[in-house]
Amino acid sequence: AQSVTQLGSHVSVSEGALVLLRCNYSSSVPPYLFWYVQYPNQGLQLLLKYTSAATLVKGINGFEAEFKKSETSFHLTKPSAHMSDAAEYFCAVRSDDKIIFGKGTRLHILP
Amino acid sequence: KAGVTQTPRYLIKTRGQQVTLSCSPISGHRSVSWYQQTPGQGLQFLFEYFSETQRNKGNFPGRFSGRQFSNSRSEMNVSTLELGDSALYLCASSYHRGTSGRASSYNEQFFGPGTRLTVL
């Protein structure tokens, strides 16, 4: 079964600074990878997904992620953090017709 | 187009009781998946329904069950509630393509706001 590991349960960045949330996957076949965001008291919203069409995937709200097979990574980045980016972010992989989520990374934005 | 709706949004029950949660998918979506979210275990897959049939099941005890109706609405039931069942239960819908019924890897799952269940 495939899985994802998110490094860091909490990440703090200053407003305007680079956001980098790390995700590594384990897969013996090309994976289908996702990043979701969850705001307080809400469900999950898809930020972006990798489906092997391009290694650099652009998503909503200025986020993007790069698929690196050599590093088995799919890290999420945003050049400049906004206060509204404070939320929990989940990396996920499709495995056997199910979506398997990482433990999540809570992003804190410092003023 | 209306999003995924879940009712109720909040629920308080006591140990030993049973509970039924409801999920209405986005119009036209035929697949409904359920997840349990807790601080300790994170997001865990419960089961998936498509065309009124359970297609996938996670590693949960038989106290957790579900069903899907002909209009794609889904319910999940938890019997003999335990304290550890306190969680946010999320429902997600997606549109299946293909006659095989297998989930397309390109399908996006749309999540509802969840039902927060507290077991006392």
Side-chain angles (χ1 to χ4, degrees), chain A residues 26-83:
Chain A
S26 67
S27 172
S28 58
V29 298
Y32 293 98
L33 296 160
F34 309 84
W35 274 101
Y36 284 85
V37 61
Q38 185 178 31
Y39 297 101
N41 300 316
Q42 294 187 29
L44 276 70
Q45 180 183 9
L46 182 70
L47 278 175
L48 48 82
K49 60 184 177 184
Y50 169 74
T51 57
S52 76
T55 56
L56 183 62
V57 183
K58 294 188 182 298
I60 62 171
N61 302 339
F63 284 94
E64 62 182 36
E66 186 173 8
F67 175 75
K68 291 187 177 180
K69 185 177 179 180
S70 60
E71 299 176 7
T72 61
S73 69
F74 190 57
H75 301 332
L76 181 71
T77 60
K78 181 173 180 177
S80 177
H82 294 164
M83 295 300 291

Side-chain angles (χ1 to χ4, degrees), chain A residues 32 34 36 38 41-46 49 51-52 88 90 94 96-103, chain B residues 9-10 35 37 40-41 43 45 48 56-57 88 90 102-109 111-113:
Chain A
Y32 293 98
F34 309 84
Y36 284 85
Q38 185 178 31
N41 300 316
Q42 294 187 29
L44 276 70
Q45 180 183 9
L46 182 70
K49 60 184 177 184
T51 57
S52 76
E88 189 155 21
F90 294 90
R94 182 173 285 282
D96 299 327
D97 272 358
K98 294 179 285 191
I99 292 187
I100 308 299
F101 288 88
K103 293 291 189 184
Chain B
R9 290 292 311 277
Y10 301 91
Y35 296 84
Q37 185 177 24
Q41 298 299 317
L43 276 155
F45 173 79
E48 177 191 6
N56 254 311
K57 192 177 190 305
L88 181 67
L90 292 165
R102 274 190 72 85
S104 166
S105 297
Y106 296 86
N107 273 359
E108 174 183 346
Q109 289 200 334
F111 284 79

